[in-house]
Amino acid sequence: MQINLRKAMFVLPNLFTVSSIFLGFYALVLCAGDATPQQLYQAALAIFFAMFFDAFDGRVARMTKTQSDFGVQLDSLADVVSFGAAPALLVYKWALAPLGFVGFFVSFAFAACGALRLARFNVLAQRGDKGSSLFFVGLPIPLAAGTIVALVIAHYREFGAATDATTRVPIALVVVLLSFLMVSTIRYRTFKDLHLSPRSLGAFAFLTVGGVAIGIATRASFVLVVYMAVYIMMGIAEALLARARPRARKPLPAAIRAELDADEALEPDDEEEEDEDKREQDEYI
């Protein structure tokens, strides 16, 4: 009986993952054919709820101590469907189809970059990269999909109709940016190291009050758009500040420094310095 219960516990986190696949497939079905604005809105909601199941499957696995390589691979496959293919088709039917081949290629690029990002994540996880617990390398695909979903939901709640010609190009640029961020080496915080403290409580209160203020001033559906935009810009800003910040080199011991000064052949040339700079940069990204 205890063995059967243990096997059932291994199934539990996978049920969350399969539920995410179900919602992603349901979104694809809603987007198929001549989808109406309401069907596209429903597809966006399906992907939104798939994000919840995706967020909890890993936590359930850790709580029940049922983590497995099978679960990791299944989660990645689920993300390709729910947060790669489904949002790509959604944004194509919602705004990019009138752009012809350009709109088709931009939508495809989102799905392809999402798959590449997941493949890189799996490789880093297999290497046992400890930094991955504190930072995501590249924008996570659920958050990229969440940005598209937030735009669709906010647009439908505000206008209740399809997009017009003035918004299609900006939306295409947003999708291109999301695709680039997913395959980039820009680090995004996971906030797994966040602990209960006056500073964290203050930040949470500020975000909550800011969200309520935005919802009152505009619509509640715009709050998610703002939150997604803030998170995306925070990663870009931190990356720019890190590149602009001068890297301090550790001073060499006086004896070694004197020996280098005495023999010019021992001085590192420019190419070696560039290689060292590149190694330091690679360690950061």
Side-chain angles (χ1 to χ4, degrees):
M1 182 67 180
Q2 185 176 1
I3 296 177
N4 292 334
L5 180 60
R6 184 62 179 171
K7 290 182 178 180
M9 291 177 65
F10 272 96
V11 174
L12 184 60
N14 293 331
L15 287 178
F16 279 81
T17 307
V18 172
S19 299
S20 175
I21 298 176
F22 170 78
L23 290 170
F25 179 75
Y26 180 59
L28 290 170
V29 172
L30 289 172
C31 293
D34 294 329
T36 63
Q38 183 179 4
Q39 288 176 314
L40 296 177
Y41 169 69
Q42 292 173 346
L45 289 178
I47 298 173
F48 179 75
F49 284 109
M51 294 173 61
F52 281 94
F53 284 102
D54 178 73
F56 282 106
D57 59 358
R59 287 172 173 81
V60 171
R62 287 189 291 272
M63 289 173 58
T64 57
K65 297 181 180 180
T66 54
Q67 304 99 316
S68 64
D69 292 337
F70 176 83
V72 172
Q73 299 303 324
L74 180 62
D75 183 69
S76 293
L77 294 174
D79 288 354
V80 170
V81 175
S82 301
F83 309 128
L89 182 59
L90 172 63
V91 75
Y92 176 75
K93 288 298 187 72
W94 175 58
L96 303 184
L99 298 180
F101 177 76
V102 174
F104 170 80
F105 184 79
V106 169
S107 302
F108 162 75
F110 180 89
C113 291
L116 292 171
R117 195 253 180 245
L118 289 168
R120 183 178 62 188
F121 175 81
N122 288 347
V123 171
L124 293 176
Q126 289 177 356
R127 290 178 180 176
D129 185 8
K130 300 299 182 182
S132 60
S133 62
L134 300 179
F135 292 94
F136 296 116
V137 181
L139 182 67
I141 186 174
L143 294 179
T147 303
I148 292 177
V149 165
L151 291 173
V152 175
I153 293 175
H155 184 272
Y156 180 82
R157 299 298 296 176
E158 178 69 20
F159 303 105
T163 56
D164 53 25
T166 60
T167 59
R168 289 164 188 159
V169 173
I171 292 171
L173 294 177
V174 170
V175 176
V176 170
L177 175 63
L178 294 173
S179 302
F180 166 75
L181 291 176
M182 282 192 290
V183 296
S184 70
T185 54
I186 296 176
R187 287 190 168 192
Y188 283 90
R189 295 184 178 272
T190 64
F191 297 108
K192 291 182 180 179
D193 59 337
L194 193 63
H195 302 288
L196 191 62
S197 65
R199 183 177 180 181
S200 61
L201 289 176
F204 178 77
F206 174 77
L207 291 174
T208 303
V209 173
V212 172
I214 293 170
I216 294 175
T218 56
R219 280 180 176 269
S221 55
F222 284 93
V223 176
L224 186 60
V225 177
V226 174
Y227 281 166
M228 291 293 183
V230 169
Y231 183 77
I232 290 172
M233 296 308 299
M234 183 176 65
I236 296 175
E238 287 187 346
L240 293 176
L241 290 174
R243 291 182 179 276
R245 188 184 303 119
R247 294 188 299 275
R249 295 181 179 274
K250 295 181 180 179
L252 293 173
I256 298 178
R257 184 71 260 175
E259 185 178 353
L260 290 175
D261 292 338
D263 191 346
E264 295 181 357
L266 297 178
E267 286 286 352
D269 55 21
D270 294 338
E271 184 176 352
E272 290 176 346
E273 290 181 354
E274 291 177 359
D275 291 340
E276 185 176 351
D277 290 341
K278 187 177 186 302
R279 284 194 299 272
E280 291 179 357
Q281 182 178 353
D282 290 340
E283 289 177 359
Y284 171 75
I285 62 178

